[in-house]
Structures are given as structure tokens and as C-alpha cells.
Amino acid sequence: MEAMEDESLDVKDDHNHNYYGSANSKVRTVLSSQLSDVTTVPQSVCPAVPGGEPGPRPGRLRSSSTGAPKFLDSDTGSESSEVSETDCTAVPANVEGKFTLDSSSKFLLNAMAVEDYRKNHWPNLEKAIDRLLIQNSTDHISVSYAQIYGYIYKCVCQQHSELLYSDLTAKITNHLWQVSSQLLASPPENLIENFNTVLTQYTAALQCIVPVFIYLNKFYIESKLNRDLKEDLMRLFADHVAEKHLETLMPLLIKAHSMPFQVQPSTMASVVKGLYSLRPEWAQLAPALFSAFIPQINPPAVESQLPDYAAHDQKLQMELSMNGFPRGDQSRKRASEDS
């Protein structure tokens, strides 16, 4: 410490070789008393980040030979010569004002952090989300999930969870608006197939998007909003796509169900089950349709209605027979019953 004082407080003489001894001694006395206050900095443990979001690893501050505080990592024991605002906010009272940032400095750091998010983190995430949303089941798009997860991890640790969630939902909402516009231009006879395509594509994209955003989901959406990311994103599809086309789609589904094999059974099942998963109350719009693909839609059977059930089955068998599906020769025995 004495060596540092001699080097930093040495006053050079002017061109006439005049020394200012009295002023030099006063400056040396004042600065020596200030430096003695920060020679030893008590240990300080970094507090947890509010809201359950991950914070930096705990460590301690200690004074170096030059008087500058160093951050000693508790895990590795390595030193870092910089102490940022997010590293440790608990500062002893006797050094308050020396190492803490004023309100204008904190505002500047926050603005710089948001600018870094806008320039570096979000553009890379946006590109990856675009590629995942437009891919087909047969496409093999190369996406670095580890890199995406790394960006999301940094955003959450830097307290950008709310901003990231807002950008993610806005991005997907804009995509769903475009999907809905494409369905509006679809011919009615192709609406069922096209709706099934966009629903299948969207759910497949969520199977990739939700896992890489698991850090955001755990430390912000679940802990602060008490919701789930996948449920929120499926709700967006219901609001911006399914609900807008439900009035046109439902009569087409009922008509297709009354004419067997007009639409492929797998497509019918996918659309009906998809609508039910989005909004279970939609099953009440066409109970007969939804009950054909989803169990327990209709109320339990009662004995007094058995004749009605038998008549319904006979009607269905008649329709199948009229559409080229004969019942076959009922007189033949099954192979297992031959003696």
C-alpha cells in the first residue's frame, strides 16, 4: 500500500525545479486516510435474483495490493478485477458511494443490456423460430439447439425474461395471422385438409420450441405468471386461427362425417381431436361428430335407449353398404372354428 501511495501521489516539479511540498503532504494525508477505509472489504454474498430467476454464483470481495477490489469465485478460486452491478449488490455501508453506481449509471447499464439483447440475442432467436415454424415433417432443417438454449439462458440471467416472452408471443402471433390469412384463401372443399396441415405443422414446431425455452418457462412463466409455455402457445393458435375458421369448418366436418370416406379418416380424426384439445367446449357444437372420435363425449348409455342405439347401428351399416362396403358372406365359418 505504501508503494502504491508513493507512486500515485508523487508530485513532479515544474520547469523551474520548484517543489510544492506543503500541498503534497496535505494530499498524501487525505488520500491515505481514504484508502485505509477500503483496504479490507468484508465478505459479501451475492443475493438471489428476485422472482426465482437464476443469479450469479456466490463469491466474496477482497482487496488487492493495489487497493482495487477483486471478485473471488467461490467455486474456482479465480479472481476477477471487475465487479458489475449484477455480480453483487450488497455493499458495506462504509464504502457506499465508492463502488456503487448512481441512478444514471444504472440506467445506462440497463439501456446497454437491452441494446445488446436487441442487436445480438433476439435476432438469432428470431431466425431460429422462423425456421422451426415453417418446417414440414419431411424437412430436415439444421438448427443448433445448444446455441439457441445458450441465448435464452443469457437472456433469463440478464433479467430479460419479460422482454423475451413478449417478443416470442408477438413473433408467433404474427406467424399465426399469416396462417389464418392463407386459410381464408383456401377453397371450402380443401379447408379440412389445409387446416389439418397447419395444425400438424404448428404442433410439431412447438415440440421443438418449448423444450429450448424451458429455462424461460421454469423461471418466468411458471414461477411468475403461473402458466405454462405450451398452453399459452396453443391458446394463441385457438384464438388467431381455429376460432376464426370454426364457423366455416364445423359444417364441413359434420357433412364429411355423414358421408363416410369423403375425407380420409385419419384427417378427420386429427382435426376433431385437435379442436377438442384446443377448446373442449367446442364438442358441444356437434356432439355426434366429436363422440365418433373422442370417448365420453355423450352421456352414459341407459337401458331405455337401447332400441335407439340399435337403429343407429343399422343405419350406419346400411350407409356403408350403399357406399360399396358389403358385409360379405356371413354363412362362412371362421378359420379357427373349422374342425
Side-chain angles (χ1 to χ4, degrees):
M1 182 62 69
E2 294 178 356
M4 171 186 174
E5 293 175 358
D6 294 339
E7 180 180 358
S8 60
L9 301 178
D10 187 20
V11 180
K12 295 183 180 180
D13 60 326
D14 59 10
H15 64 282
N16 292 324
H17 301 283
N18 296 322
Y19 293 87
Y20 303 93
S22 59
N24 183 25
S25 61
K26 293 181 179 180
V27 173
R28 184 185 303 272
T29 302
V30 173
L31 293 181
S32 297
S33 62
Q34 292 182 355
L35 289 173
S36 63
D37 294 337
V38 295
T39 300
T40 303
V41 181
Q43 292 184 356
S44 176
V45 178
C46 295
V49 180
E53 295 192 6
R57 292 177 298 185
R60 58 187 176 88
L61 286 170
R62 76 176 190 182
S63 177
S64 65
S65 60
T66 60
K70 290 182 177 293
F71 185 81
L72 182 60
D73 189 276
S74 61
D75 294 337
T76 62
S78 60
E79 294 182 352
S80 174
S81 59
E82 298 180 359
V83 180
S84 64
E85 181 186 4
T86 57
D87 289 336
C88 205
T89 57
V91 182
N94 63 336
V95 294
E96 186 176 5
K98 295 184 177 66
F99 298 110
T100 57
L101 300 173
D102 56 18
S103 59
S104 60
S105 299
K106 291 180 179 179
F107 178 81
L108 180 60
L109 283 178
N110 290 335
M112 293 174 61
V114 173
E115 183 180 2
D116 180 63
Y117 166 84
R118 289 297 184 195
K119 288 184 177 180
N120 299 321
H121 297 333
W122 175 246
N124 292 292
L125 290 173
E126 187 176 23
K127 292 178 182 177
I129 294 171
D130 278 332
R131 300 184 70 180
L132 293 174
L133 286 174
I134 63 175
Q135 70 174 340
N136 296 319
S137 58
T138 57
D139 294 340
H140 299 282
I141 298 178
S142 177
V143 176
S144 176
Y145 292 97
Q147 187 177 20
I148 299 174
Y149 182 87
Y151 285 126
I152 297 170
Y153 179 86
K154 291 180 181 179
C155 291
V156 175
C157 289
Q158 294 175 3
Q159 308 300 306
H160 296 319
S161 299
E162 183 177 359
L163 186 59
L164 178 59
Y165 177 73
S166 177
D167 286 341
L168 173 63
T169 53
K171 176 66 181 177
I172 293 183
T173 299
N174 183 65
H175 168 75
L176 293 177
W177 285 345
Q178 298 177 8
V179 170
S180 181
S181 299
Q182 294 173 0
L183 288 177
L184 285 175
S186 176
E189 60 271 15
N190 297 331
L191 182 60
I192 296 177
E193 288 81 0
N194 292 341
F195 183 86
N196 180 59
T197 299
V198 298
L199 177 59
T200 303
Q201 187 176 14
Y202 184 72
T203 53
L206 293 191
Q207 292 178 359
C208 300
I209 294 175
V210 172
V212 296
F213 277 87
I214 188 174
Y215 216 67
L216 176 69
N217 188 41
K218 180 179 180 181
F219 288 98
Y220 178 72
I221 301 175
E222 290 184 353
S223 62
K224 289 190 175 181
L225 304 182
N226 296 321
R227 297 202 303 265
D228 178 75
L229 178 59
K230 184 177 181 180
E231 293 178 358
D232 284 359
L233 299 183
M234 291 301 294
R235 190 179 300 111
L236 290 178
F237 187 92
D239 294 340
H240 301 291
V241 179
E243 189 172 11
K244 292 183 178 180
H245 299 275
L246 187 65
E247 186 176 351
T248 304
L249 184 63
M250 193 63 67
L252 294 174
L253 290 171
I254 295 174
K255 180 180 178 181
H257 179 62
S258 64
M259 302 176 64
F261 301 99
Q262 182 182 10
V263 178
Q264 291 185 3
S266 59
T267 302
M268 288 288 296
S270 177
V271 173
V272 173
K273 291 179 179 179
L275 291 174
Y276 183 79
S277 65
L278 294 173
R279 299 276 177 84
E281 60 269 21
W282 285 344
Q284 303 304 319
L285 300 176
L289 170 66
F290 281 83
S291 63
F293 301 95
I294 301 172
Q296 299 181 351
I297 295 296
N298 290 326
V302 293
E303 185 178 358
S304 61
Q305 295 181 351
L306 289 178
D308 296 335
Y309 301 147
H312 180 271
D313 290 342
Q314 291 177 359
K315 180 181 177 182
L316 179 60
Q317 293 176 5
M318 184 67 67
E319 291 176 352
L320 291 174
S321 178
M322 294 176 62
N323 284 276
F325 293 91
R327 299 179 60 185
D329 187 1
Q330 300 296 318
S331 62
R332 297 183 58 185
K333 294 182 179 180
R334 290 177 294 181
S336 60
E337 295 181 356
D338 292 339
S339 56

